[in-house]
Amino acid sequence: MSNLPSEPEFEQAYEDLASALEKSSFFKKHPEYRTALKIAAIPERVIQFRVVWESDKHEVQVNRGYRVQFNSSLGPYKGGTRFHPTVNLSVLKFLAFEQTFKNALTGLNLGGAKGGADFDPKGKSDGEIRRFCVAFMRELSKYIGADKDIPAGDIGVTAREIGWLFGTYKAETSLWEGCITGKGRAFGGTLMKPEATGYGLIYYVDHMIQYVSQGRETFKNKKVAISGSGNVAQYAALKAIELGAIVVSLSDSMGTIIPTGEEGITSDDRINIVNLKKQRKQLSELTRSHKDIFKYIEGERPWKHVKKVDVALPCATQNELSEDEAESLISAGCKFVAEGSNMGCSQGAISVFEKHRQSRKKGEALWFAPGKAANAGGSAVSGLEMAQNSQRAAWSAEHVDERLREIMKTCFQTGLDTAREYVESGEADGELPSLLAGSNIAGFCKVAAAMQVEGDWW
């Protein structure tokens, strides 16, 4: 019996990786890497601290702050910062663990980390959020830096909060450096950062579609169900619409909107949703002013309510797509599922998808892509922002987008090739390779090999 507390989110992420390795031929060909898995499963460093700040009523408030510096074998620690009441050590360990292998798949020299606090920005004034950011960074600044650990934004941490965090870091250290990504253009940010994860997700799925159709199909006229309404969901929807897809859903923590018209959610609708979310309002507000355009389903996710769908993109939070919802997507004709959120699908849902892939031929099967590959675009462009900061340069949006496309193609191809090498399949009979297994094995292999060379295991 373990003396460690239960950490369900982290345990699920670890099991996802370990089972992919065990079910493949990887350990048979490289048995010594079992030692690497034991060591890679433990973070290099976990930092926990109190954050004391003052409310508008001049009352003292306190929250728990964290930074999990999981692995630095490939480069400095890199990962987002989340402000949300559900933040705890298990959640951040899972996110940092996933981030480690996600960053490895991009081909950039980045380690893995994640941080944040159990602070809830909802219902707080701008002044309260700013004071919290200042208090948080005063402590965190002791442990990060441009060549040590480079945080970024995440849930509850937008470009505005990044500005306050960066300003506090500069005041505390007297250093103007690329200590954080997601910055505004005025102080070292990059073009394409807000769009990166959503756009990258669509670029990745486009490769899936083209592989299955042998280049005969694209996103054009594909019906795409998306959950969430934050940055990832918004920009995934925008790029899908640009490529000719029909977006049939978006959601938030309170419910789902489904368009009543055949054209789906339009670019103008998306702008209205962006403005709504900037005011921290719920999607239900939109349906009050657009009753004829949207159907609002309170307390529900979209997966059981989309009648016909080709592509499903969970972009909200972890474990948002359950086993029975996976069955519903298959019944709706879904052929592609890719996680825009980290670990967006439950283990049960993934099992349903993988069994369907194994039991049917290319073109008939549902093909699943894990978040560590499909949503790596945000991490990739954070790495590109770091490169621009080091060069004291500013790249064009076209150049950043081109690099993002290249990186997402690499993520897809690496997972595909690794699956073919280590996972037994009936590909000769038309079975699709497992992107789940291939992406997990490829990311782990790269990290573990660097750890061995650096003396972390032998």
Side-chain angles (χ1 to χ4, degrees):
M1 187 174 181
S2 174
N3 64 334
L4 299 174
S6 174
E7 295 178 326
E9 294 85 1
F10 173 67
E11 289 162 15
Q12 181 182 339
Y14 172 80
E15 183 58 33
D16 184 37
L17 172 64
S19 63
L21 293 167
E22 291 288 355
K23 291 175 182 177
S24 72
S25 62
F26 183 81
F27 280 149
K28 293 177 184 175
K29 295 179 179 179
H30 307 286
E32 69 278 11
Y33 274 70
R34 288 185 182 276
T35 301
L37 179 59
K38 292 179 184 177
I39 294 169
I42 300 173
E44 292 177 7
R45 188 175 298 105
V46 175
I47 300 158
Q48 183 172 346
F49 50 93
R50 69 186 180 203
V51 184
V52 181
W53 56 283
E54 185 179 4
S55 72
D56 287 342
K57 295 179 180 179
H58 305 293
E59 295 172 346
V60 66
Q61 305 290 323
V62 65
N63 288 92
R64 289 175 174 83
Y66 306 88
R67 189 70 181 169
V68 178
Q69 296 175 333
F70 217 105
N71 193 292
S72 60
S73 59
L74 295 177
Y77 304 110
K78 184 79 191 81
T81 304
R82 177 175 295 191
F83 292 166
H84 195 270
T86 61
V87 165
N88 58 41
L89 199 51
S90 174
V91 168
L92 293 179
K93 281 180 67 177
F94 127 62
L95 290 168
F97 187 70
E98 288 281 292
Q99 193 76 47
T100 297
F101 305 111
K102 179 191 302 186
N103 288 348
L105 288 171
T106 67
L108 302 174
N109 291 115
L110 301 171
K114 203 77 175 186
D118 57 0
F119 170 78
D120 188 358
K122 288 184 178 178
K124 305 292 192 302
S125 70
D126 291 349
E128 287 176 324
I129 296 171
R130 181 184 56 78
R131 289 193 292 275
F132 178 83
C133 288
V134 170
F136 180 83
M137 183 52 82
R138 278 179 178 165
E139 185 62 27
L140 185 64
S141 62
K142 302 169 186 175
Y143 309 103
I144 66 171
D147 296 311
K148 182 190 295 183
D149 183 356
I150 306 91
D154 196 86
I155 295 171
V157 180
T158 67
R160 181 185 68 167
E161 285 77 29
I162 291 291
W164 291 331
L165 292 167
F166 178 80
T168 306
Y169 177 89
K170 185 161 62 74
E172 290 293 307
T173 64
S174 298
L175 294 172
W176 195 108
E177 61 179 13
C179 64
I180 194 166
T181 57
K183 300 186 295 296
R185 289 285 292 156
F187 56 102
T190 180
L191 292 168
M192 295 291 297
K193 183 65 181 82
E195 300 93 332
T197 307
Y199 278 22
L201 176 64
I202 298 299
Y203 295 155
Y204 187 99
V205 176
D206 196 44
H207 286 296
M208 295 172 71
I209 294 171
Q210 293 196 41
Y211 178 85
V212 170
S213 67
Q214 296 181 321
R216 292 189 294 269
E217 296 180 18
T218 65
F219 263 99
K220 190 170 180 61
N221 296 324
K222 292 281 188 294
K223 291 190 175 181
V224 182
I226 301 175
S227 67
S229 50
N231 255 13
V232 181
Q234 290 170 16
Y235 286 109
L238 177 60
K239 182 55 66 173
I241 293 166
E242 286 180 3
L243 295 178
I246 301 165
V247 176
V248 297
S249 70
L250 285 171
S251 68
D252 60 21
S253 59
M254 302 302 289
T256 291
I257 56 168
I258 294 179
T260 55
E262 289 296 319
E263 64 178 347
I265 294 171
T266 65
S267 295
D268 288 341
D269 295 333
R270 192 200 69 89
I271 292 170
N272 290 331
I273 291 166
V274 169
N275 292 332
L276 196 72
K277 287 301 174 180
K278 282 181 179 178
Q279 300 171 50
R280 299 186 183 274
K281 292 182 178 179
Q282 303 296 331
L283 289 177
S284 56
E285 297 278 338
L286 188 69
T287 56
R288 290 172 188 169
S289 55
H290 298 75
K291 288 181 181 179
D292 297 334
I293 300 175
F294 297 110
K295 175 184 177 183
Y296 180 70
I297 307 169
E298 187 175 356
E300 293 285 333
R301 298 183 288 240
W303 317 122
K304 289 185 176 182
H305 301 280
V306 285
K307 295 176 182 177
K308 171 69 174 71
V309 64
D310 300 296
V311 180
L313 305 175
C315 296
T317 189
Q318 66 263 19
N319 290 323
E320 58 171 296
L321 201 161
S322 66
E323 184 174 348
D324 60 327
E325 288 170 325
E327 297 282 7
S328 295
L329 284 173
I330 290 172
S331 299
C334 188
K335 291 293 184 285
F336 304 95
V337 176
E339 293 178 321
S341 54
N342 293 306
M343 209 166 68
C345 299
S346 70
Q347 288 282 16
I350 292 171
S351 295
V352 169
F353 296 148
E354 286 293 280
K355 285 177 183 176
H356 197 271
R357 175 189 60 79
Q358 292 169 325
S359 63
R360 286 165 176 78
K361 293 182 180 180
K362 183 192 295 185
E364 300 174 2
L366 184 148
W367 207 10
F368 170 74
K372 60 170 58 71
N375 71 30
S379 303
V381 173
S382 283
L384 301 182
E385 181 177 330
M386 291 165 59
Q388 293 171 73
N389 290 167
S390 296
Q391 296 173 3
R392 297 294 192 267
W395 300 346
S396 68
E398 291 76 16
H399 181 62
V400 176
D401 191 44
E402 181 183 356
R403 290 292 309 276
L404 174 61
R405 288 174 184 268
E406 291 171 357
I407 290 168
M408 297 316 296
K409 182 179 180 180
T410 298
C411 286
F412 172 76
Q413 198 63 49
T414 300
L416 188 71
D417 293 343
T418 306
R420 286 170 167 167
E421 182 177 358
Y422 291 110
V423 183
E424 293 181 12
S425 71
E427 191 172 359
D429 299 321
E431 181 184 321
L432 289 165
S434 173
L435 293 174
L436 172 68
S439 300
N440 272 297
I441 296 166
F444 170 76
C445 186
K446 186 170 183 179
V447 171
M451 290 172 65
Q452 185 181 32
V453 171
E454 293 170 14
D456 288 337
W457 66 277
W458 52 91

